[in-house]
Amino acid sequence: MIVFDLRCSGAHVFEAWFASSSAYEEQRDRRLLVCPVCGDSDVVKALMAPNVAAKGNARQVPAVMPTAATPASDAPSPAVIKAAMQAIAAIQAQMLEKSEWVGRAFVDRARAMHSGEADVAPIHGQATRAEAEALIEEGVPVAPLLVPVVPPEALN
């Protein structure tokens, strides 16, 4: 597994895990990567600092650089951001334990449940942004997962 910091065109930076660099490139090319903050699918790798241990006498530098949009006094610390993301991931994992993975059948199953053609049950799967937007326009209650999920068939 490899972790990348990603950035959307709205300047939101978030972390995502991939099986390999080529897996990232494939998902990017298929426009499957979506910003968890704004839903933008124009996502690229963000600059990342290497994880190198500091010398014992090295001076600390700020991990979040202030900008006009986020002054230093308002910027959350990296530890706060990490804890929030871990909490989101844990809650999502608990919810998904009670949900059925339906893969690419997600759109059809969600429509069938919404129209009463199938029993309502918690499901999760894959949909393109256009498919998800169409479901929302039809009144089907769907939402993107905030933390990327590896399909069960892709797990070792």
Side-chain angles (χ1 to χ4, degrees):
M1 295 296 282
I2 187 167
V3 65
F4 291 126
D5 283 344
L6 304 179
R7 180 179 40 81
C8 73
S9 63
H12 300 116
V13 177
F14 55 98
E15 183 178 274
W17 291 79
F18 299 92
S20 63
S21 257
S22 60
Y24 157 77
E25 292 166 5
E26 177 190 342
Q27 290 181 36
R28 181 203 58 213
D29 293 345
R30 293 176 55 203
R31 301 192 59 79
L32 296 176
L33 304 176
V34 177
C35 174
V37 177
C38 67
D40 183 10
S41 62
D42 185 11
V43 175
V44 297
K45 286 184 190 175
L47 290 176
M48 295 175 54
N51 188 6
V52 178
K55 293 168 87 177
N57 64 352
R59 121 182 187 288
Q60 295 286 331
V61 295
V64 176
M65 297 303 293
T67 65
T70 56
S73 62
D74 293 342
S77 72
V80 169
I81 293 170
K82 183 177 182 179
M85 290 302 296
Q86 287 174 334
I88 289 168
I91 291 168
Q92 178 178 295
Q94 287 175 347
M95 291 173 51
L96 293 182
E97 286 176 2
K98 301 171 187 147
S99 177
E100 177 188 0
W101 170 261
V102 295
R104 290 292 305 150
F106 178 80
V107 174
D108 293 334
R109 292 275 302 269
R111 274 197 183 105
M113 284 189 273
H114 183 69
S115 68
E117 296 172 19
D119 292 337
V120 175
I123 62 170
H124 63 286
Q126 296 173 315
T128 65
R129 182 181 179 127
E131 290 170 333
E133 288 172 351
L135 288 173
I136 291 167
E137 287 175 15
E138 295 169 28
V140 180
V142 297
L145 293 174
L146 297 177
V147 180
V149 174
V150 176
E153 64 271 10
L155 295 173
N156 290 341

